[in-house]
Amino acid sequence: MELVKKKIHMDRISSRAGTQVVLEEDVNISDNKPDASYLLNSKGEIIMEEIRAGENVVNLRGRLVVSILYLTDMEGTCASMEAVIPFEERVNMEGVSNGDLILTDWTIEDLTVGLINSRKISVQAVASFGLEMEEHVEQDAAVDIYHEEPLEYRKRTYPVVQLVLQKKDIFRLKEEMELSGNLPNVFQTIWHHITFDHVEFKALEEKISIQGEMRAFFLYEGEGDNDRTLWYENTVPFSGIIECHGCRENMIPDIRCSLGQCNVEVRQDFDGEERVFCVEPVLDLDIHLYEEENMEVLSDIYGVDKEIEALTTEVQLKSLLLSGSGKCKIAEHAKIQNTEMPMYQLIHSEGEIQIEEQAVVENGIAITGTLTVTTLYLCSSRSIYATKNMMPFQYVIEAENITPTSIFKLHHSIEQLTVTMLDSDELDVKAALQFKVIVFAVQKSNLITDIKVEELDLNKLSELPGMVIYIAGQGDTLWDIGKRYYVPIAQLKEVNELVTEDIKAGDKILVVKGSI
């Protein structure tokens, strides 16, 4: 006899670690930049240069790049600069060794930029890093058995989610946005902010489709006499295809998408005027593709004329509990920070989500965080100013039957942000935060991986009666009785004139050893 086996492909996190890195530096404004009088906005980005595993340690090397927008000492004009702070960090991580692939996630928990004087800016930041070592495991499971000897076996069906494909990839975009006719030509770009909204992925045959919206905001210096700071904003839809060998329709995509390198240039229009913003962003993709299957495996075996022992291995099987999304709505009135600089006209608003805690609760995942909204506005003196407002939120995304042992992955984005001016010092902020989640239930199961066949123990067999009436106890099954007395199920059904295998406590089952 021979087992028919099938491989189950599973992924699991075998080791986790985390660390926080404090980064701070005083940065001088370069000589070719004007003096700073007021800081308007700042945004930080972690660029990793090396993630290298050693023996029980991971070496992180990279740099924090902070883009800073500031008001110059010339009325109504802005400028920008970059501060670069390199870092190296060793993180203890038990179980890793040379060459292991480490999945790394990072967030800038706190970024504080301050003006020391007109030529020097202080930068302080706390960067948090989460590290995981993900193992890809193949587990054999017996799904059938070839046999000539008389034996009995039964099967069980498990809903199983298997990891079919995991890889990193990129998606390149190129979009051109031409200034509207009432805006002057571009002399130079001062600041840009590129975000992506409503990004959706779908698994197709040998490829993945992507679609969404790209939102772009630019501050620029006008050409000629009109050298004051101007602005332009536009939103364009995009779609495309990512080639993905092994991908099939109806697979479950879990794809983390983040903005990587982004090149912004000003190009000439058909009339030879500098009026076209060319944006070439690269989206970094961390792709996991799962496939759901109702897998039928052998759950037990016994012999009739031989002793057959099923050898099992305990494994953790994952099944899909939920793949969905939820929206958290925020609506608040917010005061500007500097009431001495009242608002005259809104220019641009952008938001950032900071997740502080996510935990499993009854039938859901509780999320606590803060939405930080930065708004640029024009004051009555025609100078640009900024205000920053922090709005805490709590939200529970529904996940029926989730338990503390479940595994979940959560992605967040700002689906909609609308800021309107109520008064010269008050804003109305409305936002819709989207949370996408994939939840896996984890079940420990004993899978048959081999069998041990021996001749029947004649002494043991001789002790069994040739005929007996067995009174079924609570929970007894026909399978249990047949296995105990080495009798085929079909024979038990025929002798007892049973149509099905269903029995209940107190039923009298006639057991006759041997064939009938």
Side-chain angles (χ1 to χ4, degrees):
M1 62 186 70
E2 181 182 358
L3 289 177
V4 180
K5 297 180 181 180
K6 183 176 182 178
K7 290 188 180 298
I8 303 175
H9 302 271
M10 298 177 289
D11 61 323
R12 66 185 180 200
I13 304 300
S14 58
S15 182
R16 282 189 174 92
T19 189
Q20 283 190 330
V21 182
V22 178
L23 302 168
E24 52 186 347
E25 193 166 310
D26 294 341
V27 183
N28 292 319
I29 298 174
S30 59
D31 294 339
N32 63 341
K33 296 282 187 180
D35 288 356
S37 64
Y38 179 80
L39 298 183
L40 294 171
N41 198 5
S42 60
K43 54 186 179 182
E45 178 186 9
I46 297 289
I47 298 176
M48 296 304 301
E49 296 167 352
E50 182 182 54
I51 303 170
R52 180 168 50 86
E55 293 301 319
N56 295 317
V57 69
V58 177
N59 296 289
L60 304 177
R61 182 167 59 85
R63 62 189 189 273
L64 168 67
V65 179
V66 181
S67 301
I68 302 167
L69 177 67
Y70 64 90
L71 196 64
T72 72
D73 55 358
M74 295 176 287
E75 185 177 351
T77 62
C78 301
S80 64
M81 61 168 286
E82 275 192 354
V84 179
I85 305 176
F87 64 86
E88 288 191 35
E89 187 77 7
R90 286 170 61 87
V91 184
N92 293 326
M93 191 171 180
E94 188 176 349
V96 304
S97 56
N98 291 322
D100 284 342
L101 177 64
I102 306 299
L103 303 179
T104 308
D105 192 16
W106 53 85
T107 57
I108 300 174
E109 299 261 335
D110 186 26
L111 175 62
T112 304
V113 179
L115 190 63
I116 299 174
N117 57 50
S118 62
R119 303 300 302 173
K120 184 175 286 189
I121 293 174
S122 68
V123 177
Q124 296 177 325
V126 177
S128 293
F129 295 86
L131 288 73
E132 295 181 339
M133 184 171 74
E134 188 176 64
E135 285 186 327
H136 296 236
V137 182
E138 288 187 346
Q139 176 64 56
D140 285 330
V143 296
D144 210 338
I145 185 168
Y146 291 132
H147 63 96
E148 294 181 356
E149 302 89 341
L151 56 82
E152 290 290 320
Y153 64 87
R154 60 179 176 177
K155 295 183 177 182
R156 180 177 175 181
T157 300
Y158 290 97
V160 176
V161 167
Q162 298 191 68
L163 177 67
V164 179
L165 187 145
Q166 188 269 323
K167 70 170 186 173
K168 293 185 180 294
D169 208 334
I170 60 172
F171 179 72
R172 298 181 184 272
L173 269 174
K174 183 177 180 180
E175 297 288 348
E176 293 188 346
M177 305 176 187
E178 187 171 354
L179 292 174
S180 52
N182 62 326
L183 291 172
N185 296 345
V186 180
F187 176 68
Q188 65 176 351
T189 303
I190 298 171
W191 178 266
H192 68 264
H193 183 69
I194 311 296
T195 56
F196 289 85
D197 301 327
H198 309 289
V199 180
E200 300 288 344
F201 298 93
K202 186 177 181 181
L204 304 172
E205 291 297 322
E206 299 294 320
K207 57 192 176 185
I208 299 170
S209 71
I210 177 175
Q211 64 178 18
E213 292 179 348
M214 183 180 75
R215 183 175 300 169
F217 169 74
F218 307 94
L219 283 176
Y220 72 95
E221 184 180 333
E223 188 180 61
D225 295 335
N226 200 342
D227 59 355
R228 63 187 176 89
T229 301
L230 302 163
W231 57 90
Y232 171 71
E233 189 166 12
N234 198 2
T235 300
V236 294
F238 71 90
S239 62
I241 293 294
I242 304 155
E243 298 298 328
C244 187
H245 179 66
C247 182
R248 296 185 294 275
E249 282 192 64
N250 300 321
M251 282 187 174
I252 305 163
D254 176 35
I255 302 176
R256 188 174 66 181
C257 169
S258 60
L259 178 61
Q261 182 181 350
C262 184
N263 185 43
V264 176
E265 293 182 355
V266 179
R267 296 183 180 175
Q268 295 179 347
D269 63 7
F270 288 113
D271 297 325
E273 297 182 316
E274 302 282 337
R275 299 187 60 80
V276 179
F277 287 104
C278 183
V279 184
E280 298 184 60
V282 176
L283 293 180
D284 293 329
L285 307 176
D286 186 1
I287 301 172
H288 287 70
L289 290 178
Y290 296 92
E291 193 166 41
E292 194 173 18
E293 176 185 357
N294 287 322
M295 179 175 288
E296 191 178 55
V297 300
L298 293 180
S299 60
D300 202 0
I301 305 172
Y302 71 85
V304 174
D305 58 7
K306 289 186 182 296
E307 194 77 56
I308 301 176
E309 181 185 358
L311 305 180
T312 63
T313 300
E314 184 180 82
V315 299
Q316 290 189 338
L317 297 179
K318 293 200 312 188
S319 59
L320 182 66
L321 194 62
L322 170 70
S323 177
S325 62
K327 291 180 185 178
C328 172
K329 293 185 178 181
I330 296 175
E332 285 192 21
H333 290 178
K335 293 284 188 179
I336 63 173
Q337 289 173 302
N338 190 350
T339 55
E340 295 179 359
M341 295 296 174
M343 293 182 292
Y344 173 74
Q345 179 185 350
L346 293 187
I347 295 175
H348 169 71
S349 294
E350 58 193 58
E352 182 180 11
I353 299 173
Q354 188 75 49
I355 301 297
E356 295 156 9
E357 186 179 2
Q358 49 190 26
V360 173
V361 296
E362 186 177 359
N363 290 325
I365 301 169
I367 305 163
T368 303
T370 303
L371 172 66
T372 301
V373 178
T374 302
T375 301
L376 298 179
Y377 65 91
L378 208 61
C379 65
S380 56
S381 65
R382 306 300 295 178
S383 293
I384 294 177
Y385 273 81
T387 184
K388 184 173 289 188
N389 299 97
M390 302 178 70
M391 302 172 187
F393 66 86
Q394 291 183 326
Y395 179 67
V396 175
I397 184 168
E398 292 183 5
E400 192 174 349
N401 297 324
I402 192 171
T403 68
T405 61
S406 300
I407 298 171
F408 68 89
K409 297 181 181 181
L410 188 69
H411 308 301
H412 57 77
S413 62
I414 301 174
E415 186 179 77
Q416 183 180 358
L417 176 63
T418 305
V419 179
T420 54
M421 191 171 70
L422 295 176
D423 206 339
S424 61
D425 66 347
E426 190 173 18
L427 297 167
D428 180 53
V429 181
K430 290 184 172 66
L433 313 184
Q434 184 178 61
F435 297 95
K436 293 183 179 179
V437 67
I438 184 167
V439 184
F440 301 103
V442 179
Q443 178 182 357
K444 288 185 178 180
S445 303
N446 290 313
L447 297 183
I448 295 176
T449 54
D450 209 343
I451 53 173
K452 182 179 179 182
V453 182
E454 295 179 342
E455 295 297 326
L456 285 177
D457 185 339
L458 297 180
N459 291 330
K460 178 180 177 181
L461 196 62
S462 63
E463 293 176 358
L464 296 174
M467 181 182 296
V468 65
I469 293 177
Y470 182 88
I471 301 176
Q474 191 68 38
D476 276 344
T477 66
L478 215 58
W479 175 273
D480 299 325
I481 300 170
K483 187 175 183 179
R484 178 174 179 175
Y485 291 100
Y486 300 89
V487 175
I489 299 295
Q491 180 177 320
L492 289 175
K493 289 171 64 178
E494 185 173 350
V495 169
N496 291 275
E497 298 181 350
L498 297 174
V499 177
T500 69
E501 294 184 21
D502 296 334
I503 60 173
K504 60 183 183 296
D507 285 351
K508 296 178 180 179
I509 305 297
L510 176 61
V511 181
V512 180
K513 187 192 298 185
S515 302
I516 60 171

